[in-house]
Amino acid sequence: MSDLRPDLAIIAGHVPRGAKVLDVGCGDGELMAELRRSAQVDARGIELDARNVSAAVARGLSVVQGDADTDLANYPDHAFDYAILSQTLQTARAPDRVLDELLRIGRRAFVSFPNFAYWRVRLSLLWRGRMPVTAALPVSWYETENIHQLTVDDFRAFVAERGIGVEQAWFLNGDRHTSAAAANFRAEHAVFLLRR
Amino acid sequence: MTLATMSIPSEDQRFGLARRVTLPRPLPLDGGGVLTPVEIGYETYGTLNADGSNAILITHALTGDQHVASVHPITGKPGWWTRMVGPGRPIDPARHFIVCANVIGSCMGSSGPATIDPATGTPWAMRFPVITLRDMVRAQAMLLDHLGVGTLQAVIGGSMGGMQVLEWAATFPDRVRSVVVIASAARHSAQNIAFHEVGRQAIMADPNWQGGCYYGTGDTPAAGLAVARMAAHITYLSEAGLTEKFGRRLQARDAKSFGFDADFQVESYLRHQGISFVERFDANSYLYITRAMDYFDLAEEHGGRLANAFQGTRTRFCVVSFDTDWLYPTAESRMIVHALNAAGAAVSFVELSSPFGHDAFLLDVPELNRVVDGFIRADES
């Protein structure tokens, strides 16, 4: 588990044994494999990239090549205990609709994203006047898949407006936790556990 | 062939290459009535393990047969899926008990229009009943009863084989733990039916077809069947593949002939495909099997909603499509996947990249083997 990305490790640590999980944007199935191994979770995945899908299926995982923006509609309501959207919200064409679908399909949803108000990001914009390239945002503006950048406070306001409940939230600076109060400035990543 | 020597010699005459059996019961048909007797030509590779958990059924495509990994008795060519089935392959006789049966309606040992109707002592010809893919699958289930196979570890097939796989999952959900559907669809589209109709009309327009009663006359509708094959063969390839392989290159000449010889390489290639096909395939079988495919619409069999076909299933699904396959394009696979998601089934799906069009499932696509191998092994731990 220590090899998991910190936000995935948090999610993995909070999915109960035997739960039914949909990982939207599951990559090569790293989190799914860990959930299956450590907690006998019934994990399903959706992933856009064909090579990642092949890799995930080749390790015996149930992963469907598809798009979070278009391929969630066919899943029945509350088909899963948890829907997971890790580092994918900011890449969606319509993040609001994806989140609605997530909370329709899953009884609860984990959402993790890079915080665009992290102080290093702010510094880069303020002093250098350049789009930031950091550990959490590793590529240049023209290469990035992140078309809907957001901050911790943006997300808090967004779920509040929509009446979505936050059951728990974790804020990370590297692999270290940071407080909720200073999160919008100090957190590089955020993980929210949501419930409609 | 090494496979024959690899499989453990068995006294049991049910197992091995080039087997044939007359099933003990008549087969009730979707179109009404029964088929009797039901003869099945089939092959097995490997050994059924003690708890019977390692049986894998391979379902073949329109013009395929049971010689999945053994030399074809007519053409002398290697089995049609030796890339997928064989020692060290994803489906391996060292690990699996592999069954491949000729579909009913075909002409390689299973009951079809060319086999003898015992009631008359002559070939069935067009008196053979029109069958469906579900009829084919029910016949396969009866064969497995005969072989002592209860639950299958997997059913795997491409193209029409993939349609049979879907029928397996829908008709016998408790008898199959996992299925692999490659380059296939849950129904035949108008375009699919249209291409098949061209082929059928080519056969029936051949005077040698004689209303289907050409057996024993010394003439067969070879020209019509060859044209049917030529038209169909185009649908198995991609435009880019044809362009790369042939372009506009001329066949063994420096200039156009201003006549109707096969000036172009692609013409010569298609003619060869047509001529070599008629040596190994019966024209009436081509009519019956294409009809069965055209009738196929899995949703229609389940109240018009594809997800109903898989409701409550515990079978694991793996669906694979190819980006250059325009016969059964990725959109058809996605329809299957969406229905499986709606039914809550465990499903994997990937669109693989290949230049080969529909035929990719038979050709060298290493990624396909990797996906199938991983999917199959997930059930074996």
Side-chain angles (χ1 to χ4, degrees), chain A residues 20 36 42 44-46 50-51 53-55 57-67 70-71 74-76, chain B residues 316-318 334 337-339 341-352 367 370-375 378:
Chain A
K20 202 169 172 193
R36 184 177 64 175
D42 179 1
R44 314 280 170 84
I46 298 181
R51 292 165 63 104
V53 177
S54 293
V57 177
R59 65 208 276 187
L61 298 167
S62 292
V63 173
V64 163
Q65 189 180 9
D67 186 336
T70 54
D71 289 315
N74 300 285
Y75 291 91
Chain B
R316 297 165 57 238
F317 290 76
C318 180
R334 281 199 188 281
V337 171
H338 288 161
N341 284 337
V347 52
S348 294
F349 161 67
V350 65
E351 177 191 61
L352 298 180
E367 197 74 350
R370 206 158 75 88
V371 166
V372 171
D373 186 57
F375 179 77

Side-chain angles (χ1 to χ4, degrees), chain B residues 270-307:
Chain B
L270 278 183
R271 289 183 189 191
H272 171 74
Q273 290 296 329
I275 289 165
S276 54
F277 180 61
V278 301
E279 290 167 9
R280 68 173 180 89
F281 213 80
D282 176 57
N284 283 340
S285 282
Y286 198 86
L287 299 179
Y288 276 89
I289 300 173
T290 56
R291 201 69 187 136
M293 294 174 76
D294 291 348
Y295 277 179
F296 180 60
D297 181 351
L298 192 55
E300 185 184 74
E301 294 169 15
H302 297 269
R305 187 170 173 266
L306 189 54

Side-chain angles (χ1 to χ4, degrees), chain B residues 179-377:
Chain B
V179 296
V180 184
V181 181
I182 306 168
S184 194
R187 50 125 213 232
H188 239 215
S189 69
Q191 190 187 46
N192 296 147
I193 296 168
F195 274 112
H196 274 175
E197 177 61 0
V198 170
R200 284 190 294 263
Q201 288 302 325
I203 291 167
M204 293 192 281
D206 186 331
N208 287 335
W209 182 59
Q210 305 167 61
C213 299
Y214 52 82
Y215 304 109
T217 66
D219 290 314
T220 63
L225 181 59
V227 171
R229 177 62 167 181
M230 289 168 73
H233 198 80
I234 301 167
T235 70
Y236 304 153
L237 308 173
S238 70
E239 198 238 336
L242 277 179
T243 301
E244 185 185 315
K245 199 167 179 178
F246 306 110
R248 290 184 51 82
R249 285 190 292 281
L250 300 179
Q251 175 68 26
R253 66 200 67 193
D254 298 325
K256 296 176 195 114
S257 70
F258 287 88
F260 293 95
D261 285 350
D263 272 5
F264 293 101
Q265 284 183 7
V266 67
E267 293 174 304
S268 171
Y269 169 79
L270 278 183
R271 289 183 189 191
H272 171 74
Q273 290 296 329
I275 289 165
S276 54
F277 180 61
V278 301
E279 290 167 9
R280 68 173 180 89
F281 213 80
D282 176 57
N284 283 340
S285 282
Y286 198 86
L287 299 179
Y288 276 89
I289 300 173
T290 56
R291 201 69 187 136
M293 294 174 76
D294 291 348
Y295 277 179
F296 180 60
D297 181 351
L298 192 55
E300 185 184 74
E301 294 169 15
H302 297 269
R305 187 170 173 266
L306 189 54
N308 289 349
F310 310 115
Q311 214 62 51
T313 187
R314 286 180 300 166
T315 303
R316 297 165 57 238
F317 290 76
C318 180
V319 179
V320 180
S321 69
F322 296 99
D323 55 358
T324 52
D325 181 353
W326 56 276
L327 186 62
Y328 303 120
T330 293
E332 298 290 334
S333 288
R334 281 199 188 281
M335 273 178 47
I336 299 168
V337 171
H338 288 161
L340 288 165
N341 284 337
V347 52
S348 294
F349 161 67
V350 65
E351 177 191 61
L352 298 180
S353 194
S354 155
F356 304 127
H358 178 64
D359 262 356
F361 81 94
L362 296 169
L363 300 173
D364 187 28
V365 183
E367 197 74 350
L368 175 65
N369 282 37
R370 206 158 75 88
V371 166
V372 171
D373 186 57
F375 179 77
I376 295 290
R377 282 182 190 275

